[in-house]
Amino acid sequence: MDDPIFDPWSIGEPEADPAPAPRAKRWRSASSQEGVPATRPVPAPVTQQRAESEQRPAPTNATPDPVPETPVPSSAGHDLRALVIPRIEDLIQRLEMARHRTTVDDRLDRSPASIRIKVDPWRAPFDEGPPVSGSVLEILAEDGASPVIVGRIWLDALSASPTEQSQIDLSKLTPAWIEGLLLDFVAKALRSV
């Protein structure tokens, strides 16, 4: 057949393969292809930029930036950190493995030094009753003539006053007292559900 519509293979003789196109360079300069200049201005060093900005006068209507608060370390907070933080990290790990949510507010580097732990107990999807606001434990180091460590427990996180409070002199503080406070808090927080 000589009709190309019905028999496209019958048109002329097979053509020879064209020569392969030369391979393009893998990395090429953008300036040679796109018309972009090959060099760009080099930014000024940071020290030079600072010197130029210091020479410019400040606007007259500018207000100064507020000075950030610097934490005031307390000696009781430093002592408390060494005893409390490892035990709290262990407690949080265990609670989160049991699907309870925990939040820690670490203010041991401020004065007065304190740390707060909030526990929101896990609830099954079809548990009855109103949602629980969680429980809070606050461990506070009060500086003074004789520093005191105070432990406060709120079984209702929205309550204005703590449910329980205990205290001990910093000189009598032991790891056993901290562990007892943490275990007492967890037992009461999970029982209140």
Side-chain angles (χ1 to χ4, degrees):
M1 283 186 165
D2 292 333
D3 191 0
I5 293 176
F6 296 107
D7 189 16
W9 303 111
S10 67
I11 301 176
E13 296 177 14
E15 295 182 17
D17 289 338
R23 293 183 76 180
K25 292 181 181 177
R26 187 168 185 184
W27 305 103
R28 56 182 175 254
S29 170
S31 63
S32 63
Q33 300 292 326
E34 308 294 327
V36 177
T39 60
R40 295 182 182 167
V42 178
V46 176
T47 55
Q48 182 180 357
Q49 290 175 354
R50 283 189 190 143
E52 290 173 0
S53 66
E54 290 172 359
Q55 291 172 1
R56 288 186 230 143
T60 56
N61 62 353
T63 58
D65 291 335
V67 178
E69 285 187 22
T70 55
V72 179
S74 77
S75 60
H78 179 70
D79 296 338
L80 192 59
R81 179 176 295 281
L83 286 174
V84 170
I85 293 297
R87 287 162 179 82
I88 287 178
E89 288 174 349
D90 184 44
L91 175 73
I92 288 172
Q93 182 181 14
R94 291 176 184 216
L95 287 170
E96 289 180 351
M97 286 175 58
R99 297 190 282 189
H100 304 294
R101 285 189 321 214
T102 58
T103 307
V104 176
D105 182 15
D106 183 356
R107 297 180 184 197
L108 291 173
D109 58 346
R110 296 202 174 108
S111 182
S114 68
I115 187 164
R116 291 182 184 151
I117 307 133
K118 182 179 181 207
V119 174
D120 293 313
W122 179 80
R123 291 178 51 113
F126 297 109
D127 278 354
E128 295 180 6
V132 180
S133 64
S135 300
V136 175
L137 168 67
E138 178 184 46
I139 302 173
L140 177 72
E142 294 180 350
D143 283 330
S146 71
V148 176
I149 305 299
V150 180
R152 296 181 183 139
I153 297 175
W154 284 267
L155 294 180
D156 179 11
L158 303 176
S159 175
S161 60
T163 309
E164 291 183 20
Q165 181 171 329
S166 61
Q167 68 182 31
I168 190 170
D169 289 338
L170 181 62
S171 60
K172 297 178 183 177
L173 182 65
T174 61
W177 188 85
I178 296 289
E179 290 170 3
L181 181 66
L182 291 172
L183 291 176
D184 187 39
F185 166 65
V186 169
K188 291 176 180 172
L190 297 182
R191 194 179 315 140
S192 67
V193 178

